[in-house]
Amino acid sequence: MEPFPDILWIEEIKKEDIPSVGGKGASLGEMFSIGLPVPRAFTVTAQAFRRFLVLTGIEEALFKKMEDLDVENAGDLEQASREAKEIVLGAKIPADMRSSIRDAYHQMGKNVIVAVRSSATAEDLPDASFAGQQDTYLNIKGDRDLLDAVQKCWASLYGGRAIYYRAKQGFDDRSVNIAVVVQQLVPSEKAGVMFTSHPITGEPLTIIEGSWGLGEAVVSGSVSPDKYVFDKRSGKVVDRLIARKLIQILPDGKRGTKEVEVAADRQEIPVLSDDEISRLAAYGKIAEEHYGVPQDLEWAIVAKEIFILQSRPITTIRDSPKAQAKSGSMGKILLEGQGASPGIGAGKVIIVRDAKDSGSVEKGDILVARMTNPDMVPAMKKVAAIVTDEGGMTCHAAIVSRELGTPAVVGTRKATVTLKNGQLVTVDGEKGVVYDGAVAAPIEKAVAEACVVAPAPVVTATLVKVNVSMPEAAKRAAATGADGVGLLRIEHLILELNKTPGWYIAQKKDEEFIQELYRGIRVVLDAFCNKPVWVRTLDAPTDEFRNMQGGETEPIEHNPMLGWRGIRRDLWSPEQFRMQVEAFRRLWKDGYHNLGVMFPMVSHPDEFIRAKKMMETWGVNVDEVTLGIMVEIPSSAILIEDFVKAGIRFASFGTNDLIQYTLAIDRNNENVATMYKPKHPAVLKLIDNAIQVCRKYGVECSICGQAGSDPEMAVWLVEHGIDSISANIDAVPKIREAVLRTEKRMVLKAASSRHA
Ligand code: PEP
Ligand code: MG
């Protein structure tokens, strides 16, 4: 019998060849066969790899390294991986195999630059996405480098992550093979990725992300790419988000690639024209129709010529759009609002008009309300998604949903009228849309949680902190690797008790209140060990207290947002303030030196001085503890120097309020939501002024409002010298990435201007 060839060209490959050429190789071959513009490529087959193991005699020694390995033991895993790779890299590729690889390479042309990609034979199967676990080498030129790269790809089959995943997925190391795809590298002017259908819902929307240079910048996430949404039904581009593309990856002219800054005049212009988008989408359609499932494609464009580099099935969609369409589960859009907390939830509607209704909310329901109240929080914890008539990105429903990781759409204006109790709907908290029926399986909450427990382990000079409101979210928040808590809202600790602080005072149950606060705050302090946790004193507007026991005595205010809240209320109700201070005092006494206390709604330095004096009379050594303020009223931003002189240790921008008070826009009023502009020049001027004063005096300057969860705003803040940014749990990874990139760019700029 003829031995299986070491090399297969893409024109020889068919879909069934996965065992020989791996998922990537098979997919390329097949795409070539259906007429997609795939760059020239050949595969070093899995049989060649097997022959290499046998002919070099390393097989047994290699597999022994993984026998009886406890993959949960990181040290053992690391050692086995290192030794296995050494065995593969230490063997010499047999001469005939070397010459087959060389011959194939020469057939591509003279000294062609290629990408060498691992193509594991179990990779890219719908149920076992191994993509990214094995190596890829870009910009390889010449026989020697090519052979080295092939051997390194083989060795990467024994990387720690790959061994771990195989063990967990039940794949036998002995039977998993690897092929290597050698493909002409397209020196792309622009490149990116494309989902042929929406990656979560499976809707017929082609999503294309692109940036300048090689596609590696988009795939690795080192650049924020442009995003284009092409509706396959109308054949039109329905959404585009043009990002600021600061860097690109280019061949370095030697062996690898280099990251260079994008010229200023190209950073903010669109990468793709409408014509290119529709041509790309057309190729995506061919691939999807051919494979029968939505695809995740990599593309590149050079001199207007499109190339498709890779294709693999999207693994996040439960049902393909076709299956959904068939089952009639593609819902029509019932409502649109603001996507306030990402994720998708499907279930039956339950309309909650007041706290009494929330008793009938069951796990997995969709809570629909005019606006949520603190007394609805227990019900909010159970539901699959939340929809409100009113509110914007900083309303109660939005803040609590983000913290719970529950999808939410706010400000729909008419959810309580349009939706009916018991109706089945799907809520997309990313896009701000409510669909009729159960469109997609509610898998995103798990995804969202998975995203936050695996942060990029990077250290940034600007601290990236996290906001917390509920002790039960503390672990999730800490798992982001955040540098501390920039805002712990304590209202939620007591709102759940459903009794106002006034009730505890009237009932002479102050000790109970103090204990509750102490316990709740301590959970967060423990989760963050020695990292700073800034706890904010009470800041609940009177309308939020009204439905609670004791709430009958709350004054009725026309403008609760401008009313009896924040530090002003504590100064007028010393007993309410004392109970909080007593909880803090005990925590400090118990050694929680990571606790800092922050006063909200401060408008004049006198308020800070008075609060400090009161704390002193209650036994706090105010010179030793960390006390700071929220800068959320324009007056405090304007008078920041006086606050510094009054002894604040830190200042944190509460932009949710700062924006509403600067622009006279009620943050909870959906009628003026479009005028609520975090980047309004007046807001930015106030922030910049306060940052510069804080820097001058060495006082930590931070942000904990919702604007700090916006990567673009984070870039601006870092450029203007902020010390720390506190973001929502779900936003920490992207803020960290934005901060890191901005800092790197600033360092590079400073270095190049020094050498200029
Ligand atoms: C703010 O105003 O930005 C803030 C963080 O506080 P809250 O949203 O609780 O008013
Ligand atoms: Mg505020």
Side-chain angles (χ1 to χ4, degrees), residues 536 539 565 630 632 657 667:
R536 185 178 71 180
D539 182 17
R565 56 177 288 212
M630 300 272 294
E632 51 186 347
D657 281 319
R667 63 192 255 192

Side-chain angles (χ1 to χ4, degrees), residues 385-400:
I386 292 161
V387 184
T388 66
D389 291 350
E390 299 171 356
M393 292 298 281
T394 64
C395 70
H396 179 268
I399 291 171
V400 175

Side-chain angles (χ1 to χ4, degrees), residues 82-98:
R82 191 170 13 89
E83 291 175 359
K85 283 181 173 178
E86 277 167 14
I87 291 174
V88 175
L89 292 173
K92 195 165 163 51
I93 305 179
D96 65 323
M97 199 177 290
R98 283 211 307 273

Side-chain angles (χ1 to χ4, degrees), residues 362-656:
E362 285 173 14
K363 195 163 182 292
D365 283 347
I366 305 295
L367 189 154
V368 177
R370 217 157 59 79
M371 174 41 60
T372 60
N373 265 319
D375 49 8
M376 293 180 192
V377 171
M380 292 170 80
K381 286 184 180 168
K382 293 195 231 168
V383 297
I386 292 161
V387 184
T388 66
D389 291 350
E390 299 171 356
M393 292 298 281
T394 64
C395 70
H396 179 268
I399 291 171
V400 175
S401 310
R402 282 193 293 267
E403 177 118 356
L404 294 171
T406 303
V409 176
V410 300
T412 61
R413 292 165 191 260
K414 51 187 183 187
T416 52
V417 179
T418 305
L419 303 178
K420 303 286 169 251
N421 270 322
Q423 181 177 3
L424 258 189
V425 297
T426 300
V427 178
D428 184 336
E430 175 92 45
K431 288 199 279 175
V433 173
V434 180
Y435 297 97
D436 195 11
V439 172
I443 54 170
E444 283 62 34
K445 193 161 176 185
V447 171
E449 279 173 10
C451 291
V452 294
V453 294
V458 290
V459 175
T460 50
T462 311
L463 302 180
V464 177
K465 301 184 183 180
V466 64
N467 293 344
V468 180
S469 297
M470 286 174 253
E472 58 259 57
K475 275 210 178 114
R476 266 180 75 218
T480 62
D483 297 312
V485 174
L487 167 64
L488 171 59
R489 291 180 167 98
I490 62 170
E491 299 78 74
H492 296 267
L493 296 181
I494 58 153
L495 290 169
E496 266 193 60
L497 307 172
N498 216 12
K499 296 174 190 105
T500 63
W503 181 91
Y504 286 93
I505 297 167
Q507 301 295 317
K508 305 218 171 343
K509 297 206 167 164
D510 49 332
E511 182 56 27
E512 222 176 273
F513 183 88
I514 294 165
Q515 290 280 340
E516 287 290 347
L517 268 192
Y518 175 94
R519 272 198 295 270
I521 297 170
R522 199 179 58 181
V523 170
V524 184
L525 290 166
D526 283 337
F528 283 82
C529 310
N530 294 319
K531 295 181 179 177
V533 174
W534 292 347
V535 177
R536 185 178 71 180
T537 54
L538 267 177
D539 182 17
T542 45
D543 55 333
E544 294 201 356
F545 275 152
R546 188 148 327 107
N547 293 333
M548 305 169 78
Q549 226 175 314
E552 349 29 274
T553 57
E554 286 295 308
I556 297 190
E557 298 179 313
H558 286 302
N559 288 306
M561 278 291 174
L562 297 173
W564 210 28
R565 56 177 288 212
I567 194 65
R568 54 182 74 160
R569 180 161 183 174
D570 276 350
L571 294 176
W572 281 329
S573 326
E575 186 52 15
Q576 176 177 301
F577 190 32
R578 186 197 67 78
M579 294 193 295
Q580 299 168 65
V581 173
E582 179 56 17
F584 304 147
R585 195 191 64 77
R586 290 181 196 178
L587 287 160
W588 278 316
K589 187 167 147 278
D590 290 349
Y592 287 100
H593 302 300
N594 55 333
L595 164 68
V597 170
M598 173 157 74
F599 302 125
M601 298 287 294
V602 184
S603 68
H604 192 286
D606 279 355
E607 290 164 329
F608 176 73
I609 294 165
R610 278 170 62 206
K612 214 160 80 160
K613 282 216 174 101
M614 286 162 88
M615 290 177 87
E616 208 166 10
T617 60
W618 294 320
V620 174
N621 185 342
V622 289
D623 297 323
E624 272 187 6
V625 298
T626 307
L627 302 179
I629 57 160
M630 300 272 294
V631 175
E632 51 186 347
I633 299 181
S635 64
S636 58
I638 293 164
L639 298 178
I640 190 71
E641 191 155 12
D642 298 313
F643 279 98
V644 171
K645 289 183 180 154
I648 58 166
R649 295 268 188 94
F650 66 87
S652 180
F653 298 111
T655 43
N656 304 345

Side-chain angles (χ1 to χ4, degrees), residues 17 29 40 70 93 100 105 125 159 223 230 234 256 264 320-321 414 434 475 532 572 612 621-622 654 715 724 745 755:
D17 287 332
R40 194 145 166 69
D70 173 9
I93 305 179
S100 320
Y105 176 56
L125 301 178
V223 70
F230 180 87
S234 63
S320 73
K414 51 187 183 187
V434 180
K475 275 210 178 114
W572 281 329
K612 214 160 80 160
N621 185 342
V622 289
V715 169
S724 59
R745 196 166 39 78
H755 292 108

